[in-house]
């Protein structure tokens, strides 16, 4: 990646234009977090509901501390996992000019430092925090390559530049943990698991949906969805279906089969998930059948994304 391209990207971001950038999780649709104009373009381009707030990406912990009020647990997790696929929700620092569209007017803010050299370089050059949701239309499958972004926003003039950083190596959106409440709550599972986090700050609970308002941030049920139906925990498959297999013994008989991980490795399966869904999302198939994936470790995050795609 040549530096003048990254300088151009940084300049465009400072001018409130949108740039798609690679991160280790998925590609992000980035805009200046201090600019309502830039953030409004993000919501418009994605057709994203206005009540769903954005993650703010920072160059480092220092930049993040200018925006979020860090408690002890937050400092421990930032030290352990940043840069990396962990987003932390914290109280918003008062009188900081973060776009209220990005926070949807909440008194809290979602912060993360991405572990990708290109994303970090752009953040350093632009020297502003960047609001960046996944670079896909709302509800569709998240992008893990520059090609996925191009496919999604081809004819759109709302996106000024796409930076190609190759395939994302994590492949699932960041784990989100809310540390703005009395007790830590896991809002979205990801590669960094509850067990990983527990050893630093103790027990955390899952979000209790019954207790939250229906539109609680991040709890939109349908998400990451292909345009054809998706069926989980398949035990058999027909010749009209595509099969997303897992492990050494794929079910036989599908029109086309892709295997998330022939060795049943969760890290490999996570990295392949969205790319394989993009590839099988084709009207030549009646539906996509997905073989069972154990609910343990990163398998929990994979099942979370699949169940939203299936709903
Ligand atoms: O890996 C990722 O996190 C990717 C890359 C680009 O960094 N970004 C991403 O953004 O997944 P997005 O917009 O697809 O997901 C942001 C999530 C949403 O579920 C949103 O509701 C939640 O973060 N969120 C943002 N601010 C929040 C807040 N103050 N309280 C609770 N949830 C919040
Ligand atoms: Mg998304």
């Amino acid at each position: 990646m040549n530096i003048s391209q990254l300088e151009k990207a940084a300049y465009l971001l400072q001018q409130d234009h949108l740039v798609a950038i690679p991160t280790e999780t998925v590609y992000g649709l980035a805009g200046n977090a201090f600019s309502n104009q830039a953030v409004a373009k993000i919501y418009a381009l994605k057709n994203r509901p206005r009540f769903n707030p954005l993650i703010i990406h920072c160059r480092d912990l220092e930049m993040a501390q200018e925006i979020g009020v860090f408690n002890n647990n937050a400092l421990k997790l930032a030290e352990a996992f940043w840069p990396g696929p962990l987003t932390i929700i914290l109280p918003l620092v008062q009188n900081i000019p973060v776009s209220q569209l990005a926070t949807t007017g909440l008194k809290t803010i979602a912060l993360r430092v991405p572990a990708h050299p290109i994303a970090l370089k752009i953040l350093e050059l632009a020297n502003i925090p960047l609001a960046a949701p996944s670079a896909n239309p709302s509800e569709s499958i998240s992008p893990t390559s520059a090609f996925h972004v191009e496919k999604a926003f081809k004819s759109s003039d709302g996106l000024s530049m796409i930076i190609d950083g190759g395939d994302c190596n994590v492949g699932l959106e960041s784990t989100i943990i809310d540390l703005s409440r009395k007790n830590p709550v896991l809002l979205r599972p990801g590669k960094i698991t509850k067990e990983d986090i527990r050893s630093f700050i103790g027990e955390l609970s899952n979000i209790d949906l019954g207790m939250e308002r229906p539109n609680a941030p991040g709890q939109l049920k349908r998400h990451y969805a292909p345009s054809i139906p998706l069926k989980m925990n398949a035990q058999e498959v027909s010749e009209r279906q595509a099969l997303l297999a897992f492990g050494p013994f794929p079910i036989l008989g599908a029109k086309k089969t892709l295997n998330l991980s022939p060795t049943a490795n969760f890290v490999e399966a996570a990295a392949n998930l969205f790319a394989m869904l993009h590839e099988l999302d084709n009207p030549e198939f009646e539906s996509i059948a997905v073989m069972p994936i154990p609910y343990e470790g990163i398998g929990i995050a994979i099942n979370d994304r699949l169940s939203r795609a299936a709903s």
Side-chain angles (χ1 to χ4, degrees):
M1 179 58 47
N2 82 46
I3 183 78
S4 68
Q5 264 216 305
L6 302 188
E7 276 166 352
K8 182 177 166 198
Y11 175 78
L12 287 167
L13 288 162
Q14 287 169 340
Q15 304 301 312
D16 299 345
H17 296 295
L18 304 187
V19 178
I21 62 169
T23 83
E24 80 280 33
T25 58
V26 300
Y27 274 70
L29 183 61
N32 180 358
F34 289 143
S35 161
N36 275 325
Q37 199 195 340
V39 172
K41 286 183 196 165
I42 294 177
Y43 281 94
L45 188 59
K46 277 184 65 89
N47 197 15
R48 180 182 176 104
R50 296 282 178 142
F51 56 77
N52 193 8
L54 305 178
I55 295 173
I56 309 302
H57 296 65
C58 297
R59 184 191 51 218
D60 50 23
L61 175 60
E62 197 188 327
M63 184 185 263
Q65 282 181 300
E66 286 167 22
I67 307 173
V69 184
F70 279 67
N71 50 38
N72 255 338
N73 280 346
L75 287 172
K76 278 187 208 159
L77 292 186
E79 198 163 297
F81 296 110
W82 282 0
L86 179 72
T87 294
I88 307 176
I89 313 282
L90 291 172
L92 184 62
V93 167
Q94 278 181 14
N95 301 320
I96 192 85
V98 171
S99 160
Q100 292 211 25
L101 278 176
T103 58
T104 65
L106 293 168
K107 298 256 180 293
T108 54
I109 183 126
L111 294 168
R112 130 171 158 87
V113 177
H116 194 292
I118 291 177
L120 288 173
K121 191 71 196 168
I122 291 172
L123 280 161
E124 180 195 317
L125 291 169
N127 198 27
I128 41 173
L130 297 174
S134 49
N136 57 306
S138 198
E139 293 197 356
S140 72
I141 305 167
S142 294
T144 54
S145 71
F147 171 69
H148 295 154
V149 182
E150 273 161 31
K151 223 172 44 171
F153 296 126
K154 202 177 269 156
S155 57
S156 146
D157 54 6
L159 180 56
S160 298
M161 192 175 182
I162 300 173
I163 302 286
D164 189 345
D167 293 343
C168 302
N169 61 34
V170 174
L172 291 178
E173 297 85 350
S174 59
T175 304
I176 304 182
I177 174 166
D178 189 347
L179 296 181
S180 71
R181 312 165 182 228
K182 205 167 116 231
N183 297 310
V185 176
L186 182 74
L187 295 184
R188 181 171 73 184
K191 184 182 186 190
I192 295 175
T193 63
K194 265 175 118 167
E195 291 71 34
D196 295 333
I197 293 171
R198 187 183 290 148
S199 58
F200 293 92
I201 64 166
E203 204 48 56
L204 59 156
S205 46
N206 287 322
I207 184 162
D208 181 353
L209 280 179
M211 299 291 288
E212 306 286 330
R213 60 199 163 91
N215 289 336
Q219 303 309 313
L220 299 181
K221 192 145 180 262
R222 187 178 162 81
H223 211 88
Y224 319 104
S227 55
I228 57 175
L230 181 142
K231 294 174 178 151
M232 294 175 70
N233 301 317
Q235 304 294 341
E236 51 188 39
V237 68
S238 88
E239 65 205 1
R240 294 184 304 280
Q241 287 181 299
L243 177 70
L244 194 54
F246 179 77
F249 307 110
I251 316 166
L252 301 177
K255 189 165 184 186
K256 175 171 181 170
T257 296
L258 296 177
N259 199 330
L260 288 168
S261 172
T263 58
N265 177 300
F266 287 137
V267 174
E268 181 184 31
N272 283 331
L273 179 65
F274 290 139
M276 288 185 174
L277 284 177
H278 274 283
E279 195 174 333
L280 297 179
D281 186 8
N282 186 318
E284 75 175 290
F285 309 119
E286 192 180 87
S287 59
I288 302 172
V290 188
M291 284 175 63
I293 293 165
Y295 279 81
E296 59 187 54
I298 306 168
I300 293 174
I302 296 172
N303 277 297
D304 168 74
R305 303 310 189 274
L306 286 170
S307 67
R308 291 174 201 243
S311 77

